[in-house]
Amino acid sequence: MLYRAWLAVLGVILCAGSAWSEDPFLRDPDQRLWKPVADDVYLQELGSQIQTDRPILSVAHYDGTLYALTDQGGYRLDGQHLERVPELSAGLQRLRVLDDALWAMGSVGLYRMVGDRVQQISDLAFVDVCLLNGVVHAATTMDVYRYEQGRLDNLEPETGYRSTNITFHREDGTQVLPQPERMGPLIRIAAYSGFIEAPTSDDPDVLGIEDAPLQNLGAAPYSGPPRPK
């Protein structure tokens, strides 16, 4: 009897399984709250992996080509292989694409690539670059530079950055700091420019401040027994 009971249960499971297998969505069409969409070729995600014998430090996509950095220098992706870019030397740690150019930076300097031409802009150790009002700015750990007309100009004034520390003012209005302020240590820089505009609203609670009468929110005057003299 037990054997027949197991056969009956197994038969029910097989019947249910065959019924479910006929409907891959496990629901009748009139019970679905959605409808399937054909997965065309352009919707398919294609993934691949490029094997490297050294860790990748940074990647950037420039002019239709993927570039990568390792501790041995720069590479460009050619099909499924990384091809060495000899102009990008070892010691570079970061890649950025700004102002239609590829920028590479690290302990060996700052490099700029336009097309296939690579130019070393500086041999100082740079950590980051950003674009402010259409002009590229680059940073070392202690200074920020503006890149214009093929050269870097340090933004720090000749007499140092103004501060509220001890200073001496000369008769001509210039300021001298015994210990000038310095930036840094810098790790990354970013740019922001613009104005905060008024909200597009006619709600007086948003545009103004409620005109409330002044209230005495302090403690009430003392009204206990007379204080000892």
Side-chain angles (χ1 to χ4, degrees), residues 91-112:
L92 297 172
Q93 288 92 26
R94 184 168 172 81
L95 292 173
R96 292 290 307 276
V97 178
L98 294 175
D99 197 27
D100 298 326
L102 176 66
W103 298 80
M105 66 218 72
S107 59
V108 294
L110 179 66
Y111 291 76
R112 179 175 181 264

Side-chain angles (χ1 to χ4, degrees), residues 14 17 39 90 132 134 152-153 183 191:
L14 291 177
D39 191 5
L132 175 62
L152 292 171
D153 294 325
M183 289 189 179

